[in-house]
Amino acid sequence: MKRILLSTVLLAASLTVFAQKKSDKPNIVVILADDLGYGDIGTFGATDIRTPNIDNLATKGLKLTSFYSSSPVCSPTRAALITGRYPRRLGIDHVFFPESFTGIPAEEVTIAEALKGNGYQTAIFGKWHLGHHRQFLPLQNGFDEYYGIPYSNDMQGVVYLRGNDVDSIKVNQKYITKTYTNEAVKFIDKNKDKPFFLYVTHNMPHVPLYASPEFEGKSKRGLYGDVIEEIDWSVGEVVRALKKNGLEENTLVVFTSDNGPWLIFDIEGGSAGPLRQGKGTTFEGGQRVPTVAYWPGKIKPGTVYEDLASQLDLYPTIIGLTGSQKTQTKKPLDGEDISPVLFGTGKRKGQEFAYYSNGIIEAFRKGDWKIRLPQPDTKINGIIIVPATDTLLFNLKTDIGEKNSLLKSNPEKAKELLTALTTYQAKIGDTPEALVQRMPSDDSHIKKRAERATAKKNGK
């Protein structure tokens, strides 16, 4: 009897050790909002939108106040985030549309592919926007599971895909956020004993805006605020699922946005807070995005990092944290492992960042200084959104809103940045011709929706 009991105890101990080994690798959760403004989250200054769950991640984790997306529009940003490379390297300079025939290049090794090669379960629930033909979809790019809409929710052919196949052509957009959240929670429950990479990519708050009945009409900022409060609820549900399964202390959670707010839609377009301009521009409001990171026991609560970092850093950081170096891309990366920033042991070494728009560098940052090269009028359907500007020079440490150009008083600093930009471009090297189709010349649908949003604000 004692031998049987001893054997049972040894077997149980072996199983426990085996289970622990399976969970030694950290889980990674990246949550990406669409067109979320810097001023739309409580911890980043919003007073009329309640975001307790996201705020809690910042309070108990790390808030990054100078964190950048790689593009002021969505497809290039998404390509850069999952490859760690400037979208120009991939030839992805513009937004994909249902009529596009191209997508993310097959030779790129995504985060999902690198982690999958290291024993991770991988999933994306939400907006993909990197090509809809079979070879470009998530399952062919390292993800084990996919459920979501392949485009923005304002484009034709809004459908739900399950893997490579259409699951439903009837999409009630009021429930998009809830649908993605339910899929994410089920994935966590199913893979609690395996290391996983979960990528939740919300379609909201990209216009048109929709919130479920439980959230509609509840915020002080109208429908836009309702949408953000539901996204905040979703973040809370994901964290609760981690806690329920005992995974919270072995999981890095990152919340960020693909670019800034689409200000042309006025009250339905979000707020850049103290930043200048928004989506579609290389001013700070277009690419500096609200970002927090959370990992109990690893990230010191209440940490604030004010120096430059970017979504390009997520790839090398995740690769390093998960020990997936053997399966990562051999191509040059444009970010760096910012684990020292997460854990409070150091700063990001690189101090440079190139602001790309339509495949062209429009601005460049080094340290606290940013130079913006001369730009023509930015137009949508013939309407000037941003007037033409000459060369501008800003100290972002003292002028986050880019209100006062210091070019005349600091010509030597401008020369220094231009020289640094030349060196930086040489390091990036030649990049391929753009693979994606340019945005349609007829932007009337955008103009009409913006006019309706303005009329709604004015009570017409």
Side-chain angles (χ1 to χ4, degrees), residues 68-70 72 86 281-284 287-288 308 353-357 360-365 369-371 396 402:
Y68 293 89
S69 64
S70 303
Y86 278 116
T281 79
T282 49
F283 285 104
E284 292 297 284
Q287 291 186 244
R288 190 187 289 216
L308 184 153
F353 179 77
Y355 300 71
Y356 275 93
S357 179
I360 299 171
I361 296 177
E362 291 188 355
F364 178 71
R365 175 174 174 175
W369 290 87
K370 175 182 178 180
I371 190 164
L396 297 176
E402 298 173 288

Side-chain angles (χ1 to χ4, degrees), residues 89-106:
R89 287 192 187 274
L90 285 63
I92 299 178
D93 298 332
H94 307 280
V95 174
F96 288 103
F97 284 82
E99 60 267 27
S100 299
F101 290 98
T102 52
I104 187 168

Side-chain angles (χ1 to χ4, degrees), residues 260-441:
W262 210 351
L263 299 180
I264 189 175
F265 293 109
D266 197 59
I267 194 171
E268 292 190 350
S271 168
L275 307 181
R276 183 171 176 178
Q277 291 296 331
K279 176 178 177 174
T281 79
T282 49
F283 285 104
E284 292 297 284
Q287 291 186 244
R288 190 187 289 216
V289 290
T291 302
V292 297
Y294 174 70
W295 191 349
K298 296 285 187 177
I299 297 177
K300 183 181 178 180
T303 305
V304 178
Y305 189 72
E306 298 181 344
D307 292 334
L308 184 153
S310 84
Q311 289 173 0
L312 292 167
D313 299 329
L314 294 181
Y315 187 108
T317 301
I318 292 170
I319 292 297
L321 290 173
T322 59
S324 302
Q325 287 87 348
K326 291 183 179 180
T327 55
Q328 77 170 87
T329 181
K330 302 304 179 184
K331 296 183 178 183
L333 299 178
D334 294 308
E336 67 176 76
D337 186 340
I338 57 170
S339 296
V341 173
L342 298 181
F343 305 143
T345 59
K347 293 189 174 184
R348 188 182 192 275
K349 296 177 182 178
Q351 297 184 353
E352 299 168 316
F353 179 77
Y355 300 71
Y356 275 93
S357 179
N358 298 326
I360 299 171
I361 296 177
E362 291 188 355
F364 178 71
R365 175 174 174 175
K366 182 177 180 181
D368 294 332
W369 290 87
K370 175 182 178 180
I371 190 164
R372 181 175 164 82
L373 305 178
Q375 299 299 323
D377 293 338
T378 300
K379 299 180 179 180
I380 293 182
N381 202 47
I383 299 176
I384 297 176
I385 305 302
V386 181
T389 57
D390 203 339
T391 303
L392 302 173
L393 180 69
F394 302 107
N395 185 322
L396 297 176
K397 192 76 170 180
T398 59
D399 184 18
I400 191 175
E402 298 173 288
K403 296 178 180 179
N404 303 303
S405 177
L406 302 177
L407 183 66
K408 292 183 179 180
S409 59
N410 289 270
E412 293 304 316
K413 177 59 71 172
K415 291 180 182 178
E416 176 189 326
L417 261 67
L418 289 173
T419 300
L421 172 57
T422 300
T423 303
Y424 195 73
Q425 285 180 293
K427 183 178 73 172
I428 295 174
D430 294 332
T431 53
E433 290 300 317
L435 298 175
V436 303
Q437 299 166 336
R438 299 185 71 85
M439 292 182 68
S441 58

Side-chain angles (χ1 to χ4, degrees), residues 233-297:
W233 163 84
S234 175
V235 171
E237 290 300 294
V238 169
V239 173
R240 273 186 280 278
L242 294 172
K243 289 181 179 179
K244 180 185 70 174
N245 289 291
L247 302 173
E248 193 179 21
E249 294 186 358
N250 195 39
T251 304
L252 169 65
V253 178
V254 176
F255 176 86
T256 186
S257 178
D258 65 346
N259 47 248
W262 210 351
L263 299 180
I264 189 175
F265 293 109
D266 197 59
I267 194 171
E268 292 190 350
S271 168
L275 307 181
R276 183 171 176 178
Q277 291 296 331
K279 176 178 177 174
T281 79
T282 49
F283 285 104
E284 292 297 284
Q287 291 186 244
R288 190 187 289 216
V289 290
T291 302
V292 297
Y294 174 70
W295 191 349

Side-chain angles (χ1 to χ4, degrees), residues 163-181:
N164 296 318
D165 303 314
V166 174
D167 181 67
S168 176
I169 60 173
K170 296 180 179 180
V171 176
N172 186 338
Q173 295 208 35
K174 286 180 176 288
Y175 296 97
I176 289 177
T177 299
K178 281 200 168 185
T179 297
Y180 295 160
T181 305

